[in-house]
Amino acid sequence: MKHLDISEAISKAELRGQTVVVCGWVRTFRDSANVAFLELSDGSSFRKLQVVIDKANLTVESACTATGAAVAVRGTLAQAYKGEGNEINAQTIQLLGKCPAEFPIQKKRTTLEFLRTIPHLRLRTNTFQAVFRVRSVAAQAIHRYFHAHGFYYVNTPLITASDCEGAGEMFRVTTRPWNDSAKSEEEYYKSDFFGVKAGLSVSGQLEGEVAAMALGKIYTFGPSFRAENSNTTRHLAEFWHIEPEVAFAELPDVIELAEDLLKYLIKAVMAECPEELKFFDSFVEKGLLEKLTHVANSDFAVCTYTEAIKILEEKNSQFEFPVHWGSDLQSEHEKYLTEKVFGRPVFVTDYPKEIKSFYMKQNADGKTVAATDLLVPGIGEIIGGSEREADYEKLVAAMDARKMDKSAYKQYLDLRKFGSVPHGGFGLGFERFVMYVTGMENIRDVTLFPRSVKNIM
Ligand code: ATP
Ligand code: MN
């Protein structure tokens, strides 16, 4: 259909006086004695186009003014009577698709909980339009950042045989019928599609390291799958994962990259989505713009796990789970550190080796590994990363200590045999980033069709 995007119809002053056709969905209808107004959205712009109907010259059938109806409007663009940009004086309004009154997205504000029950329609609200516009801009900015910094974009497999760190968290991939009974696990998988146990990848890191050991700087940006049973506001069974991996890099380089990337992404979203962020600042998280401006322009904090535990131990009485050196940090501790102690994003470094993965570089103290988590206010962990163990013997020792099957990691160990170098990287959860920049508090509300325990609508 020949028509003009509403974004252009609103913003282009040079089109004033011209007759154009715009298409969209009716958001609101206001009627008065001589004129009536439709607000039209086609997704191209967060702002809606005001359609002015001069009732003396144009009678509009009621189906065209119903909330949610799809229409094509031919008319003349003119400077808006109120506010910036253009409005359109309608000559004809053609109904493209009617929308009966049972359409659940009506003018009155509905709750996010209710909207989660209609994922196929909730995108027609201001909130979700803003979320998904920000999400798209952020995705583009991620590719731009890495391309500009000499990183190659690689695609790691989603189906994998190594169950890496995610033993219990892995979804199985199988073609065997449900009622098949086998004598042993091995026999069962032997007759399965791949001949071995296979699953959906929880992370592209191990393959990312393979690529980094040849291409130098790489990143992945794709889905990861985790069958974690945690029904929280920060976990999905299927999420998008950004995982850079860099050769000739140590932990401080990994931290520098993470901070630089995050600041770049925040600035990009602020520059490209000012209307959306203003909306979030008013209706979702008061002070969001101030927070983002501050974060984009000041240094993140850095503190070791050992220092963090000292700080937290003094507040143990107020935690559900008191901490001591060796405990894993729970969400309540992460939030306390970043919100109350530092008041800004903080990198926690050098965790006890027992609570981190086998592949993390072992520090000289024999107790900790060169890992880092980036914690941000409102969310907690947004990035998890580390320098990787580059020493063959030490890596083997870490795997033995965990009773891992080394034969499944031959390729990974080979990287330490053939020209091993210091290297590291991290994983950034894309949805958690989108939550952070929009102020949305539930990960289900920044994902088109969120998948979580007992939820696959
Ligand atoms: P958490 O402790 O929050 O469960 P994690 O330590 O298991 O996260 P990592 O394995 O370090 O997570 O993954 C790197 C990043 O991927 C995390 O910092 C987070 O931003 C994101 N992430 C991890 N699991 C999920 C999930 N289930 N849903 C959405 N994002 C996730
Ligand atoms: Mn982590």
Side-chain angles (χ1 to χ4, degrees):
M1 287 170 82
K2 271 250 177 286
H3 69 284
L4 187 67
D5 279 351
I6 281 178
S7 59
E8 294 184 45
I10 291 179
S11 64
K12 290 196 167 159
E14 67 270 26
L15 294 181
R16 285 174 194 157
Q18 290 195 24
T19 299
V20 302
V21 175
V22 293
C23 300
W25 293 272
V26 173
R27 296 295 286 272
T28 59
F29 174 61
R30 271 188 304 127
D31 201 6
S32 65
N34 304 317
V35 272
F37 303 95
L38 285 180
E39 261 193 340
L40 212 60
S41 162
D42 69 354
S44 66
S45 152
F46 186 61
R47 288 180 58 191
K48 280 88 149 161
L49 179 65
Q50 164 126 299
V51 180
V52 183
I53 301 160
D54 178 356
K55 289 164 79 173
N57 296 318
L58 180 65
T59 352
V60 182
E61 55 174 315
S62 67
C64 288
T65 62
T67 302
V71 295
V73 177
R74 171 184 293 278
T76 314
L77 293 174
Q79 165 133 44
Y81 183 68
K82 265 198 272 178
E84 286 167 47
N86 301 334
E87 59 187 21
I88 187 168
N89 291 304
Q91 291 154 9
T92 61
I93 299 183
Q94 182 200 347
L95 184 67
L96 298 175
K98 65 179 189 318
C99 189
E102 78 210 44
F103 180 55
I105 312 284
Q106 296 294 337
K107 209 159 123 203
K108 58 179 187 314
R109 263 181 89 97
T110 34
T111 65
L112 293 170
E113 288 77 11
F114 169 69
L115 291 170
R116 262 171 238 146
T117 67
I118 45 168
H120 59 306
L121 296 175
R122 65 178 180 170
L123 262 72
R124 302 197 199 175
T125 62
N126 284 337
T127 305
F128 286 90
Q129 296 242 312
V131 165
F132 287 95
R133 294 165 59 75
V134 165
R135 190 173 163 132
S136 171
V137 163
Q140 302 285 350
I142 284 162
H143 287 299
R144 225 167 39 234
Y145 176 89
F146 284 119
H147 182 62
H149 288 79
F151 285 68
Y152 295 105
Y153 176 41
V154 304
N155 307 116
T156 51
L158 301 187
I159 300 178
T160 164
S162 85
D163 62 6
C164 181
E165 352 161 31
E169 296 181 354
M170 185 98 109
F171 286 102
R172 267 171 42 199
V173 171
T174 177
T175 52
R176 296 210 57 179
W178 67 273
N179 60 353
D180 217 327
S181 62
K183 292 194 183 57
S184 70
E185 209 186 356
E186 204 178 34
E187 186 206 279
Y188 180 87
Y189 292 118
K190 212 179 253 172
S191 58
D192 205 346
F193 189 91
F194 294 105
V196 289
K197 186 174 175 181
L200 292 177
S201 178
V202 298
S203 156
Q205 181 203 319
L206 301 192
E207 295 90 350
E209 285 185 50
V210 168
M213 286 302 111
L215 295 167
K217 292 186 281 189
I218 65 94
Y219 71 106
T220 69
F221 183 6
S224 283
F225 304 88
R226 295 191 184 178
E228 40 199 349
N229 223 329
S230 43
N231 220 332
T232 75
T233 53
R234 300 169 298 120
H235 290 93
L236 290 174
E238 176 180 305
F239 69 97
W240 282 67
H241 211 171
I242 298 117
E243 296 183 278
E245 191 69 36
V246 190
F248 318 112
E250 294 167 322
L251 186 64
D253 306 303
V254 172
I255 290 177
E256 197 179 303
L257 174 65
E259 179 166 342
D260 195 48
L261 169 66
L262 228 58
K263 286 178 173 171
Y264 177 88
L265 296 180
I266 290 170
K267 285 180 187 159
V269 171
M270 291 182 78
E272 291 180 62
C273 300
E275 306 257 355
E276 288 79 359
L277 291 188
K278 218 159 53 187
F279 171 86
F280 290 122
D281 190 66
S282 307
F283 299 108
V284 176
E285 180 184 334
K286 294 258 182 299
L288 176 74
L289 281 171
E290 201 189 314
K291 170 186 98 175
L292 295 178
T293 308
H294 177 70
V295 166
N297 295 298
S298 53
D299 291 338
F300 293 6
V302 183
C303 119
T304 65
Y305 168 87
T306 303
E307 287 160 358
I309 288 294
K310 279 203 193 105
I311 295 169
L312 294 169
E313 271 179 329
E314 287 174 21
K315 301 285 169 191
N316 259 344
S317 59
Q318 69 183 65
F319 294 130
E320 190 185 341
F321 303 100
V323 293
H324 56 85
W325 201 95
S327 26
D328 210 350
L329 298 184
Q330 308 278 341
S331 171
E332 58 172 340
H333 313 124
E334 296 180 340
K335 286 192 174 180
Y336 183 83
L337 284 171
T338 181
E339 288 168 12
K340 301 283 179 341
V341 180
F342 293 98
R344 58 193 159 127
V346 54
F347 288 101
V348 178
T349 67
D350 303 294
Y351 286 78
K353 61 180 188 217
E354 287 79 15
I355 59 172
K356 288 290 182 187
S357 300
F358 74 97
Y359 53 70
M360 296 186 176
K361 183 188 161 64
Q362 298 158 37
N363 286 330
D365 63 12
K367 293 191 293 195
T368 61
V369 287
T372 187
D373 280 2
L374 176 63
L375 315 177
V376 297
I379 294 180
E381 180 185 330
I382 191 167
I383 282 177
S386 72
E387 184 177 338
R388 321 303 187 191
E389 184 53 76
D391 181 273
Y392 184 91
E393 303 299 335
K394 286 186 181 163
L395 186 58
V396 165
M399 295 174 79
D400 285 341
R402 289 170 173 79
K403 302 199 169 50
M404 293 170 63
D405 171 14
K406 289 194 293 288
S407 68
Y409 292 88
K410 184 182 176 304
Q411 300 179 351
Y412 194 66
L413 284 165
D414 270 358
L415 298 181
R416 276 72 182 168
K417 236 170 121 180
F418 306 128
S420 186
V421 299
H423 66 287
F426 59 82
L428 163 65
F430 187 43
E431 287 79 9
R432 292 202 190 165
F433 174 75
V434 177
M435 290 168 75
Y436 185 61
V437 280
T438 58
M440 297 297 284
E441 287 179 345
N442 193 318
I443 197 165
R444 290 165 186 76
D445 296 333
V446 299
T447 309
L448 207 50
F449 287 94
R451 272 82 176 87
S452 54
V453 193
K454 301 279 183 281
N455 176 27
I456 185 161
M457 285 180 81

